[in-house]
Structure formats: C-alpha cells, structure tokens
Amino acid sequence: MPRRALGISATVVATVGALLTALSSSLSRSHGPTFCGLARATATGRDIRLSGRRAWLEVTRAPDMEAKGTGRVLPVFPSPSILWPGGVAQFGVIEPAHQRLYQDLLESGARHVVAPLVYSPVAHCGAGREGFPQRPDKYSLHSVAAVLRLEELQDASESSGGLVKYVAKHLVEGRARIKRALNPSALFETNEDQEKTDYLRVEVELLPEQDPEEEEASSPAEDTAAELAGAWEELRLLSEQLVEPRFESPLVPEKVAAASSWRLSESWYKLRSQVHNHREQARIATAVNAWIKAEKEQGRLHGNPSKALEHMPQPLLDVVLRLNSPTGPKFETSFYDPFLRLLAAGGHPKRKELLLQMALEEVKTVRARMSIRDLLD
C-alpha cells in the first residue's frame, strides 16, 4: 500500500534507481560533469526580507572594497545546508580557493569562518569551455549565517586519492549578519579547470546569543511546549500511516520544554529535510517514468541509463541532479525560507513560537495528503 499511495510502482523505482546510479557514477569519475548539461544545480530564490532587512545578498563581479565601521571581517565557506548554533559542522575541502582559506587560517592563527547558505542560477551549456558548464553571473548569500570555529583540520589527500585536501571540523559558535562582500570577484575567477582560486571575504555583524540560564528564564509557558509536543506527536502518527520519515519516538512535553530552541530547530530541520526529499524523490520518479514511457512510444529507445541521461530534458535533469547532489539534496528556496527566518529569530520564545506555527502548518498538509490517499484508494 505505501507505494500505491504515493503513485510509485516497483518498476518505476528500479528504472529511476538505474538512472541515478548512472548519474552518480558519471559525477564520481571527475571533478567536472561528464555531460555538459550535468551542471551543478542549486536553488533559485526570491527577494524576501527579515525585519525590514534584505534576506538575500546578491553578489556579482565587482571591484574590491574596504570594510566600513566596526564590522568584523571573516572568510566564507559556502554551506550546503543550514547550520544551527551549538551544533557541529564538518566539510570536505576540495577547491583551491577553500584550500587556500584553511591554509591562511593556519598561518594567521585565526579560527573563525562564516558559513551562509548560498544559491546560484542553474548553470547550462554555453560559453564555458568544452566539457564544463558556463559559470553563473551572480550568487546570493543569505544575510544571516552560522559562525564556525575551526576545531580540527586533517589532511585527507592520501585517504581520498587526492580528491579532498582537508577534512575540516567546526563548532557552530553563533550567528552573524552579513553586511557586504569585500572581494566579490573571488566567486567568479577560476583556473583552467574552472575551479575557484580565491575565497570570499565579508564584513559581518555578530549577533548576540542568550546563555543557557537566560534562555531558561525566558522560556514560554508550559502550554506552548505542550502544543508543540502535541503537534509533533500528531504528525509522527500521521506520517507513520503515510510511511514517511518521522520522529522515532513519542514527543514528551516536559522534554520539549526543557530542550534548547536551537536543538529543537535543528531536529525539526533535519526531519523536514528528510520528508521533503522523500516527497520530491517520489514526484521526480513519476516524472522520469512518464518521460521514459513517452520516449518508448515515439520509438526512441535508449540503450542504457547513461544514454537516457544524455537525452533527458534539461529541466527534468536539473531536478534529478539537484536532488542527488554529492553534498546532499538541494531544494527550492521556498523550503529554506521558514528555517532561515527561524535562524534569524532573536530569543528562545520567538523560535519556539515559529516552530509551533510550522508544525501546525505541516499537520494540515499531512492531513490533506491522507485525505487524497484515501480518496484514491
């Protein structure tokens, strides 16, 4: 019943699985894409605002500038995901630009890096060198980003066969608001292998964080925690019926009330990422199967999955690639926006209120999905 409820047959799963295996194989054989159309795809976004400020900062090629005022200057390591204060972050350092970043940290004795969520337009074939996609002409950084403190840097050249230079482990120490990019052209200057050679530096304003005692003192009433625990528990039970990712055990109001809002936010973000990926994979599996069926009806039989990928329509291929990126699935910014507002929120009570709103909205969505499933059954 689970696959029938989602509209996916075992044949579709196997077919899409073969295509994704071919895609994964093609990406792992080289730093660049095997097919020009297999450009690194990331989400495109909208110009939204947080408390009257621009939520996304657009970066285009421009002259370097000096820092202004009392802001702190930090190097940028673009994060493939949202990072939450109090957590840990580990990156594989591959590009020459980021190798240089960590080498500079070691030489200077500095330890802090800012890691914003970054998106760029999907790159397609064009004026780029043969075998490489054309580089985007702009990037956007979310204005509120995690501040990381480097804890450990390991040389991984030998163990990775030269693919990864370093494995960098960090503690997510806090947050910062990015005010301006100081050397924006660093995102666009590349070597002959189309790899960036310099890293971005930004001027930031560090955001204050509550200490645990202040956070506990400002905690909302118990009924707010009980509402959140109740919504999450209802969602867990509904998701179990839909065979979707869910919290593994019942949610206890006392534990929710006692937990840090950052840990609750991180847990909710991880769960929602799993659920969204589950639904998107189901959706794209149906779309790929429909395309394969149409190709066969037109007499266009592709001998193997790799050939099929070469002929797949670019918009469909973009989504397949985006959901199966080597650094994890990439979603549209409409998915990230509420979590970025959560990251930017000031104070424990505000974050728990936002979590409750998001949980209640998701309960409505899952109830609707169950109603549709029941009608189809």
Side-chain angles (χ1 to χ4, degrees):
M1 187 177 75
R3 279 180 176 160
R4 181 187 172 195
L6 291 169
I8 308 172
S9 68
T11 302
V12 177
V13 173
T15 301
V16 176
L19 287 172
L20 295 183
T21 298
L23 175 61
S24 176
S25 176
S26 71
L27 291 175
S28 65
R29 282 195 295 268
S30 66
H31 295 288
T34 300
F35 313 119
C36 187
L38 298 186
R40 181 178 299 168
T42 52
T44 56
R46 307 183 307 281
D47 182 17
I48 63 172
R49 292 180 177 269
L50 297 173
S51 303
R53 300 172 183 261
R54 290 177 59 194
W56 295 93
L57 301 177
E58 185 174 287
V59 180
T60 57
R61 190 185 293 270
D64 291 358
M65 64 178 70
E66 297 293 330
K68 300 178 181 179
T70 59
R72 184 173 176 181
V73 176
L74 290 176
V76 171
F77 192 104
S79 175
S81 183
I82 300 175
L83 303 175
W84 304 92
V88 295
Q90 179 171 301
F91 300 136
V93 181
I94 299 175
E95 276 201 303
H98 298 137
Q99 293 179 30
R100 178 180 174 184
L101 186 162
Y102 284 96
Q103 289 163 358
D104 286 352
L105 287 182
L106 292 178
E107 292 176 4
S108 67
R111 287 294 179 266
H112 289 93
V113 177
V114 66
L117 187 69
V118 178
Y119 72 74
S120 66
V122 175
H124 297 297
C125 298
R129 291 176 54 235
E130 183 178 356
F132 294 95
Q134 185 177 7
R135 281 280 186 175
D137 59 2
K138 65 179 178 180
Y139 291 86
S140 292
L141 285 64
H142 196 264
S143 61
V144 176
V147 175
L148 313 182
R149 186 180 74 230
L150 179 64
E151 298 288 302
E152 184 179 351
L153 190 66
Q154 297 178 338
D155 193 315
S157 302
E158 185 175 348
S159 60
S160 68
L163 176 62
V164 177
K165 174 61 176 177
Y166 300 118
V167 173
K169 298 180 180 179
H170 314 78
L171 173 66
V172 186
E173 197 170 69
R175 301 167 300 157
R177 188 178 301 279
I178 299 175
K179 301 171 70 173
R180 60 183 62 84
L182 301 180
N183 59 331
S185 293
L187 293 179
F188 306 95
E189 295 171 353
T190 61
N191 60 19
E192 61 182 9
D193 294 322
Q194 297 293 289
E195 298 171 316
K196 297 186 185 74
T197 56
D198 194 12
Y199 56 90
L200 185 68
R201 300 165 186 82
V202 294
E203 183 180 1
V204 305
E205 171 194 355
L206 298 180
L207 299 180
E209 299 294 340
Q210 288 178 301
D211 65 36
E213 290 185 2
E214 290 176 335
E215 185 169 296
E216 184 176 352
S218 65
S219 295
E222 289 185 4
D223 57 349
T224 302
E227 281 187 84
L228 180 58
W232 279 355
E233 178 61 12
E234 180 179 0
L235 187 60
R236 187 182 73 85
L237 296 174
L238 292 172
S239 299
E240 187 174 19
Q241 296 181 57
L242 285 174
V243 197
E244 290 190 332
R246 55 196 176 275
F247 288 122
E248 294 181 358
S249 56
L251 279 299
V252 180
E254 291 77 13
K255 290 186 177 181
V256 173
S260 159
S261 59
W262 287 132
R263 299 287 66 75
L264 294 175
S265 299
E266 183 177 36
S267 296
W268 178 239
Y269 173 68
K270 287 180 178 178
L271 174 65
R272 291 293 301 120
S273 297
Q274 293 169 4
V275 172
H276 195 66
N277 185 50
H278 175 86
R279 293 173 183 171
E280 286 290 278
Q281 294 286 3
R283 182 178 66 84
I284 200 62
T286 301
V288 169
N289 188 61
W291 172 74
I292 291 173
K293 182 178 179 181
E295 289 289 282
K296 289 181 177 179
E297 290 175 350
Q298 295 296 320
R300 294 188 288 268
L301 300 178
H302 306 297
N304 56 62
S306 293
K307 288 292 183 182
L309 283 172
E310 289 187 54
H311 292 84
M312 185 178 289
Q314 189 67 49
L316 184 57
L317 183 58
D318 287 342
V319 178
V320 171
L321 182 63
R322 176 166 56 81
L323 293 178
N324 295 274
S325 164
T327 57
K330 303 294 186 295
F331 308 128
E332 298 297 333
T333 50
S334 57
F335 170 79
Y336 295 108
D337 286 344
F339 292 102
L340 291 166
R341 285 192 288 270
L342 189 60
L343 180 67
H348 179 81
K350 178 61 175 178
R351 285 191 286 272
K352 278 198 171 178
E353 287 292 339
L354 289 173
L355 283 169
L356 177 58
Q357 293 173 19
M358 295 168 70
L360 293 175
E361 286 296 319
E362 182 60 14
V363 167
K364 292 180 183 178
T365 298
V366 175
R367 285 175 180 167
R369 289 174 64 84
M370 288 196 65
S371 297
I372 293 172
R373 185 201 65 174
D374 294 341
L375 285 172
L376 292 176
D377 283 348

